[in-house]
Amino acid sequence: MQLILSALHRREWYHVESRDLLAGLATLAARPALAGDEPSPLAHGVLADNPLARAFEPFDADFPSVDLWGPNGKRGFDTLKGRTVLMPLWAEWCAPCWSEIPDFARLQAKYGNDKFAIMPVLTGTKKAFTPDSLASVLKLAHADIFEPLIEDKRGGKLMERMARQSSNEIAIPCNLLVGPDGRVMAREIGRIPNPDEKDPAKSYSDTLIHVQNGSVQSLWGQPPGDEFVKAMANGFLS
């Protein structure tokens, strides 16, 4: 039984065109997105040869003026200061985003501490999620370790500001690395989708089935992900 799909359909559903699903479909293979022309600020020391560290590109940016909405109400990004935060920006219609969420959950359970945390934020949602309803869906995805955080007013400013755009397409997943000073210093961006994708809806549902089964689908669930997060938890940016 496709529990995640069923749970998503129980929420209020805004019409989603096939192009919306296609925009969230990237290659689910182990290879991460390629960084830009500038060298990664993370590919040095113990992470010199780490493919995820090399995939991050420099990205010095301020967060847009929005709040995070969670079970305890709303809060600003200033609450991030004091530890390194890996912040996946994701949307429920994005298949590659879903493929990473369980892997991030396992890494948070293993390495989350007072120096480091993984904090996914739902942005650009097409559904009327609340923190409670998002929590129930994350539980089905084996990711209930995460506080269910949504961009305030269910907006998409985080996605629009922080994700790379190409030909008016926003590429997600977009994983931001936030330093202990609270500033974004690097991002690992999703691939631009393949325009030849023949059945995005099937790819999406297949991804959710693997998520529900606890399958590893991303590089974050493999040794490079473990190595990267372990370094951050040990104070790589301190």
Side-chain angles (χ1 to χ4, degrees):
M1 182 177 181
Q2 299 177 27
L3 295 177
I4 298 177
L5 279 172
S6 298
L8 288 173
H9 282 299
R10 286 198 297 271
R11 312 300 165 200
E12 181 181 347
W13 179 253
Y14 294 89
H15 183 62
V16 180
E17 301 285 353
S18 60
R19 64 175 177 270
D20 293 316
L21 287 176
L22 184 57
L25 287 168
T27 302
L28 299 183
R31 186 182 174 192
L34 297 177
D37 295 333
E38 296 183 66
S40 168
L42 305 176
H44 59 86
V46 297
L47 296 180
D49 298 320
N50 184 283
L52 281 167
R54 295 202 307 268
F56 274 82
E57 61 186 17
F59 188 63
D60 182 9
D62 293 319
F63 284 107
S65 181
V66 298
D67 288 328
L68 303 178
W69 179 28
N72 299 316
K74 298 175 184 178
R75 66 176 187 266
F77 288 96
D78 57 338
T79 59
L80 300 179
K81 292 181 180 180
R83 59 179 173 175
T84 299
V85 173
L86 179 61
M87 180 178 289
L89 301 181
W90 71 291
E92 80 286 342
W93 44 263
C94 168
C97 300
W98 275 117
S99 75
E100 294 182 346
I101 288 292
D103 295 335
F104 282 136
R106 286 185 282 266
L107 291 169
Q108 172 64 18
K110 187 174 182 179
Y111 292 113
N113 57 28
D114 59 350
K115 295 181 180 178
F116 173 79
I118 302 175
M119 295 177 58
V121 176
L122 187 72
T123 175
T125 179
K126 304 292 184 179
K127 288 182 170 290
F129 276 111
T130 65
D132 286 344
S133 63
L134 180 58
S136 67
V137 175
L138 288 174
K139 184 175 182 179
L140 294 174
H142 310 286
D144 51 331
I145 192 171
F146 293 129
E147 180 182 7
L149 294 174
I150 307 169
E151 181 177 333
D152 189 23
K153 301 178 181 178
R154 303 186 187 95
K157 289 184 179 179
L158 278 170
M159 184 185 299
E160 293 165 5
R161 174 77 63 85
M162 304 309 234
R164 183 194 298 144
Q165 298 191 21
S166 176
S167 300
N168 297 319
E169 294 288 342
I170 297 175
I172 58 172
C174 176
N175 300 315
L176 304 177
L177 190 65
V178 186
D181 61 356
R183 285 191 60 82
V184 178
M185 61 165 296
R187 67 180 178 183
E188 186 236 348
I189 210 78
R191 292 182 184 278
I192 301 299
N194 179 3
D196 297 325
E197 175 64 49
K198 292 182 174 57
D199 192 352
K202 184 177 185 300
S203 298
Y204 177 80
S205 61
D206 287 348
T207 297
L208 291 190
I209 291 171
H210 287 300
V211 169
Q212 181 182 311
N213 293 337
S215 304
V216 171
Q217 299 186 79
S218 80
L219 192 58
W220 291 103
Q222 300 179 39
D226 197 275
E227 180 184 57
F228 182 95
V229 171
K230 181 179 180 180
M232 297 301 152
N234 287 339
F236 185 84
L237 297 183
S238 298

